[in-house]
Amino acid sequence: MKRELIVTADGQDRTVLVEGPGPDGRFRVAIDGVDQDVDARSLRPGTWSLVIAGRSYVVDLDHRRAGIAASVGAGEVMLRVEDALHKRLASAAGARPATRGESLRAPIAGKVVKVLVAVGDTVAPGTAVIVLEAMKMENELAAERGGTVSAIHKAAGQAVDTGDLLVELA
């Protein structure tokens, strides 16, 4: 099986061609035209053992809202992985305005500690909007897409159940 991907790391796009696995379980990987034979074995979901040019690496892949966090030892980089054909088609179709607006819900039962926005505020993607306390830990909830605050459904000090609507952005 052959796949062409566009992998973005630190704002830089790389073309990655992955072919395999072959009969020996190895993959042929070309990054920006530079070929490597890669022996890749899944150790457990999200963790891979890679042998590249005789060097061994253990790579942890953690899917997050912003992409895939790839960790090797103490180093970590956020990756965005896209199918190359889909990316080219999207580029050819032209730029679309960024999607805005969302509803933030409580991911866990707890108590609202602080509301960081007010109705009418403009919120950028990734900006914290509310702080929840759950299991004696404070958790900031951030807007994924951003937008304008259209409604705040919970105030500081109020208890929330999992799934309760907290803040709406338009």
Side-chain angles (χ1 to χ4, degrees):
M1 182 169 104
K2 202 179 225 184
R3 279 193 77 184
E4 184 180 4
L5 307 168
I6 303 296
V7 178
T8 306
D10 297 326
Q12 201 163 30
D13 287 350
R14 303 264 184 184
T15 301
V16 178
L17 187 62
V18 179
E19 190 175 346
D24 61 356
R26 293 176 180 251
F27 292 83
R28 186 91 181 139
V29 179
I31 300 174
D32 290 338
V34 178
D35 287 342
Q36 292 282 344
D37 281 320
V38 178
D39 185 0
R41 309 278 181 204
S42 176
L43 300 176
R44 61 183 169 274
T47 302
W48 289 81
S49 170
L50 305 179
V51 177
I52 305 168
R55 293 192 62 190
S56 180
Y57 305 89
V58 175
V59 179
D60 287 307
L61 303 174
D62 183 20
H63 292 268
R64 299 182 183 165
R65 286 184 183 178
I68 300 171
S71 304
V72 178
E76 180 177 281
V77 65
M78 285 301 294
L79 305 174
R80 188 176 71 237
V81 180
E82 301 170 88
D83 180 79
L85 177 61
H86 287 114
K87 183 165 179 141
R88 284 193 290 271
L89 289 172
S91 294
R96 293 186 175 88
T99 304
R100 310 244 334 145
E102 63 189 289
S103 297
L104 279 89
R105 297 184 175 274
I108 192 167
K111 181 175 84 172
V112 175
V113 174
K114 192 183 302 182
V115 178
L116 305 171
V117 295
V119 173
D121 286 355
T122 300
V123 177
T127 302
V129 296
I130 197 164
V131 180
L132 287 183
E133 181 184 282
M135 297 186 292
K136 303 219 188 250
M137 290 181 59
E138 289 189 4
N139 303 283
E140 285 187 347
L141 300 183
E144 187 173 328
R145 293 187 298 266
T148 302
V149 178
S150 58
I152 298 172
H153 296 279
K154 299 289 182 179
Q158 282 189 297
V160 296
D161 286 325
T162 303
D164 281 0
L165 184 58
L166 304 172
V167 177
E168 289 183 271
L169 305 175

